Amino acid sequence: MPASQDSTPPEVRVTAGSISAGDSRVPELRLWGIRRSITSAVVAALLLVGALIAAALWYAEWPGLERGATVTAATLFDLLKLVFAVVAGIGGVAALVVAYRRQRVAEHTNALAEFAHQLAHAADLRAEVTKALAEAADERAKIETDRNGVRLFNERFAKASEQLGSEKAAVRLAGVYAMAGLADDWREGRQTCIDVLCAYLRMPYTPSSRASNEAPVQADDRVSTANRDEGRAAREEREVRHTVIRLIGKHVRAAEDVATSWSDYDFDFSGAVLDGGNFSGATFGGTLSFINATFTGGSVSFAGTTFGGGEVSFDGASFSGGEVSFAKATFNGGIASFLRAAFGGATVSFVGASFSGGSVSFDEASFSGGEVSFAKATFNGGSVSFLRAAFGGATVSFVGASFSSGSVSFHGAKFSGGEVSFARAAFEGAEVDFTNASFSGGEVFFTTATFSDGVVSFVAATFGGGEVVFYGARFSGSQVYLVGPKSQFPPKFSEWPHGRPPDGLLLPEQ
């Protein structure tokens, strides 16, 4: 299965303090009533005083009391003092009782406050435990939901893959749409779904002349049933493959901030055989590979496509028929692209590509950054056009390229910056057209290039800045037209305005 989900449930650990059994009951205050308490205290005090007096008399062996006939003032005063002392003692005992009760009530109030604090703390702990348990339950539910979702995605993936392997074209078409729909819904598995669709295009495929979109010829006795079936199967397979390309093109044309955009993902079409398809207006921000791909028949369009941020490779691709258009395409190189270029990798690479038939158009394409390489590419048939292309900052390499037949046009191209190199290129029979080209900046190198046949035209080209360097170039049969009248290269300097070549045009030594 393409994805799995960890089934281990989350571990929840909650540590909470406990209240002992003795502390778990509400503190009780046990006191008598105020009257009962004071009465008891007074009685107890009187009994204690009486006991002390009795003890003292006993210790004095019960002395006798002398009784006088009259009570003197001193004796009365002493009696009054004794009465007041007794009353004060009783009041003091009552005051002590009240103070004791007040102290007990205060202590009980503090005990209740502490108990309330413990209850509040216990409530907080219970709330935390409840919250943790709820979060754990939510996490378990989420894991279960994700597990069910991944299981559903896996089931859909397996079903779509099975459909793509069907012998029936209608079932394969359903599988293509199912896989594309799954890629839209399943962001985590989107690259996997894209890889499967690209892999379908990499499957062995031989375009048939019977696979055109035209209505099939009416069957007659001269056309065998096997041939009719073969033509029908070829048309059906072609429709399935074009549907894959159409869906990919639709998704890479979507804005990058759209949830179903595939612009930032990688696409591997290495070795694919393409006999039609539309990528026009697309944006490829990831890695795009057409290494050893074959473009044969039909029309494949990259018109208005933006190649920026990722690495794009057409290394070893074969353009052997049909029409391939890069018109108004933009080849941008960001910081990452220049880093790759510094280590020898091109932002967009056609290294070793073969242009042997049909037409390939880079009309009005913009090469504004990074590196585009046609090094060691072979142009031995068909038509390749860079009509009004703008080379304004990129490094474009045709180093070691071979122009042996067909036509390559840079008509009206603008070379305003960067570097374009035809070093060691071989012009051996093709028609290469720089008519009306403008060289206003940057550097264009034809150093050590070989012009041995065919026609290379710079008619009406303008040289107003930068350098166009022919040092070390060899001419042995080609006709090279430079600004002035047609003549065999090297031209006579008298044909140039003011008797000398334009500034920036560096010709080989005479």
Side-chain angles (χ1 to χ4, degrees):
M1 302 296 283
S4 60
Q5 180 72 37
D6 185 6
S7 60
T8 304
E11 182 179 358
V12 179
R13 293 182 178 180
V14 179
T15 302
S18 60
I19 301 176
S20 63
D23 296 333
S24 62
R25 295 188 300 273
V26 179
E28 296 180 3
L29 178 62
R30 296 180 180 179
L31 291 176
W32 292 343
I34 185 65
R35 294 180 180 179
R36 182 180 179 184
S37 298
I38 294 176
T39 301
S40 299
V42 171
V43 171
L46 292 176
L47 291 176
L48 178 62
V49 171
L52 292 174
I53 293 174
L57 293 175
W58 174 78
Y59 183 76
E61 297 181 357
W62 302 101
L65 296 176
E66 181 181 354
R67 296 186 179 185
T70 61
V71 177
T72 63
T75 301
L76 182 60
F77 184 72
D78 290 336
L79 289 174
L80 289 175
K81 289 195 294 182
L82 179 60
V83 170
F84 283 125
V86 171
V87 172
I90 294 173
V93 171
L96 288 175
V97 171
V98 172
Y100 171 76
R101 287 175 59 85
R102 183 180 294 113
Q103 180 65 25
R104 287 292 309 276
V105 170
E107 291 178 353
H108 185 260
T109 302
N110 291 336
L112 289 176
E114 181 64 24
F115 184 75
H117 177 72
Q118 292 179 359
L119 289 178
H121 181 63
D124 291 340
L125 290 178
R126 292 191 188 95
E128 291 180 3
V129 171
T130 302
K131 180 180 178 181
L133 292 175
E135 291 177 351
D138 292 342
E139 185 66 21
R140 283 193 295 268
K142 182 178 181 299
I143 290 175
E144 187 64 26
T145 301
D146 292 344
R147 185 185 297 117
N148 292 335
V150 171
R151 184 183 299 113
L152 177 60
F153 286 140
N154 286 338
E155 291 174 355
R156 290 175 60 185
F157 181 86
K159 181 63 176 179
S161 300
E162 181 181 354
Q163 290 176 318
L164 286 173
S166 174
E167 295 181 356
K168 297 181 179 180
V171 178
R172 296 199 299 274
L173 274 174
V176 170
Y177 283 103
M179 189 64 71
L182 176 59
D184 289 340
D185 297 337
W186 189 17
R187 182 179 293 272
E188 292 78 8
R190 183 171 296 171
Q191 184 64 62
T192 301
C193 297
I194 292 173
D195 291 342
V196 171
L197 293 175
C198 292
Y200 188 90
L201 294 178
R202 296 198 304 270
M203 296 290 286
Y205 172 63
T206 303
S208 172
S209 59
R210 300 178 182 274
S212 66
N213 287 327
E214 301 175 356
V217 179
Q218 295 296 325
D220 55 32
D221 294 339
R222 294 172 297 176
V223 181
S224 67
T225 301
N227 288 339
R228 290 198 302 271
D229 292 343
E230 178 185 352
R232 178 180 178 181
R235 288 192 299 274
E236 290 177 345
E237 177 60 15
R238 186 173 188 266
E239 179 61 27
V240 174
R241 297 173 68 86
H242 285 197
T243 299
V244 174
I245 297 175
R246 185 167 59 253
L247 289 175
I248 292 176
K250 173 185 176 182
H251 284 85
V252 294
R253 275 190 291 271
E256 295 183 13
D257 57 350
V258 176
T260 56
S261 173
W262 299 357
S263 296
D264 292 332
Y265 291 83
D266 300 332
F267 295 87
D268 184 4
F269 301 102
S270 301
V273 177
L274 303 176
D275 57 352
N278 183 12
F279 295 99
S280 61
T283 298
F284 291 98
T287 299
L288 176 63
S289 175
F290 283 92
I291 295 175
N292 295 324
T294 300
F295 297 84
T296 173
S299 174
V300 179
S301 176
F302 294 91
T305 295
T306 299
F307 301 93
E311 185 171 351
V312 181
S313 177
F314 288 83
D315 292 353
S318 174
F319 299 85
S320 59
E323 297 180 358
V324 180
S325 174
F326 293 87
K328 297 184 180 181
T330 301
F331 300 88
N332 292 328
I335 295 176
S337 298
F338 281 109
L339 288 174
R340 283 193 292 273
F343 288 97
T347 305
V348 181
S349 176
F350 290 84
V351 173
S354 173
F355 300 85
S356 59
S359 65
V360 180
S361 170
F362 292 88
D363 294 349
E364 299 184 36
S366 174
F367 300 87
S368 59
E371 182 176 330
V372 181
S373 178
F374 292 87
K376 298 182 180 180
T378 57
F379 300 84
N380 58 1
S383 171
V384 181
S385 175
F386 291 86
L387 178 67
R388 293 189 297 276
F391 299 86
T395 298
V396 183
S397 173
F398 290 88
V399 173
S402 173
F403 301 86
S404 58
S405 64
S407 65
V408 181
S409 175
F410 291 87
H411 187 101
K414 295 181 179 180
F415 299 86
S416 59
E419 178 182 311
V420 181
S421 177
F422 292 88
R424 299 193 302 278
F427 299 87
E428 300 173 340
E431 295 182 4
V432 183
D433 182 14
F434 288 91
T435 301
N436 290 320
S438 172
F439 300 88
S440 60
E443 297 175 318
V444 181
F445 294 99
F446 291 90
T447 52
T448 67
T450 301
F451 299 85
S452 60
D453 199 357
V455 176
V456 181
S457 175
F458 288 81
V459 172
T462 59
F463 301 85
E467 293 184 346
V468 181
V469 183
F470 283 87
Y471 289 160
R474 297 185 298 276
F475 301 88
S476 59
S478 292
Q479 292 180 347
V480 181
Y481 303 140
L482 292 167
V483 183
K486 298 179 180 180
S487 64
Q488 189 73 20
F489 191 89
K492 295 182 182 300
F493 288 129
S494 61
E495 297 177 0
W496 298 105
H498 309 295
R500 60 183 178 81
D503 293 337
L505 178 59
L506 308 180
L507 301 175
E509 297 180 357
Q510 303 299 312

